[in-house]
Amino acid sequence: YRVFQAMEDAGRVRRGYFVEGLGGSQFALPGAVDRLRIPAGDGTPVTLGAADPANPFGAALPWPDTPGRPSRSAGAYIVLVDGSLAVFIERGGKRLLTFGTDPGVMRAAAAAVADLAERRLRRMVVATVDGEPATSTGFGALLREHGFAESYKGLAFRSRR
């Protein structure tokens, strides 16, 4: 707590109550606070590290039912659309789990996965989506629209750079 207080005094973090229902002082980076202020309903996807304290799933909230095993592990990511979990990306991006059926949400989530591949993972190859070969899934088709191409291992991201 003293370390966070010192960071707050230096302007590096903000103190507040950011997650409803969790007691005690909470601290967040200023950018995270700004992201929390994005109005819900505009369809803007937010990508977080699965182990990020801002990710409520697996900590404050249980993971939704899925055939896979999402976890709050280092190197894994989640995509939230309008505050709802849309996609879990396993470390390295080989396996994805989807949580939703709304076409608009899934399209926004696919764009966020492609953006993550472009900015962070660079050599992302998605082998499975929800336990099925990525090339034969509806989400795989959305990934193709956003720069992924079929390869012998699955759907490989082709950098636009």
Side-chain angles (χ1 to χ4, degrees):
Y1 187 80
R2 286 187 212 138
V3 171
F4 282 126
Q5 273 187 315
M7 290 175 72
E8 181 186 25
D9 292 342
R12 297 182 62 201
V13 297
R14 293 183 187 166
R15 180 187 351 205
Y17 295 98
F18 308 114
V19 180
E20 188 176 328
L22 293 182
S25 293
Q26 300 169 22
F27 294 87
L29 295 172
V33 173
D34 294 337
R35 281 183 161 177
L36 289 171
R37 290 184 178 137
I38 295 173
D42 67 354
T44 302
V46 175
T47 304
L48 296 172
D52 191 311
N55 171 17
F57 296 97
L61 299 173
W63 291 100
D65 289 333
T66 179
R69 297 188 62 173
S71 65
R72 294 177 60 87
S73 54
Y77 293 91
I78 63 164
V79 176
L80 301 171
V81 179
D82 292 337
S84 296
L85 183 61
V87 177
F88 172 81
I89 305 157
E90 182 183 81
R91 181 181 182 162
K94 188 174 180 181
R95 290 188 278 262
L96 303 183
L97 299 173
T98 61
F99 303 90
T101 56
D102 181 87
V105 168
M106 290 292 101
R107 189 171 307 283
V113 170
D115 185 57
L116 176 70
E118 178 78 37
R119 291 183 301 110
R120 291 288 189 104
L121 301 178
R122 304 284 168 126
R123 295 184 182 192
M124 184 174 179
V125 178
V126 179
T128 64
V129 175
D130 297 328
E132 300 292 325
T135 55
S136 65
T137 65
F139 194 72
L142 293 174
L143 291 175
R144 278 191 217 97
E145 291 177 14
H146 293 284
F148 283 79
E150 286 193 37
S151 75
Y152 70 98
K153 290 183 178 181
L155 292 174
F157 182 74
R158 304 288 186 226
S159 179
R160 295 172 225 156
R161 291 182 187 184

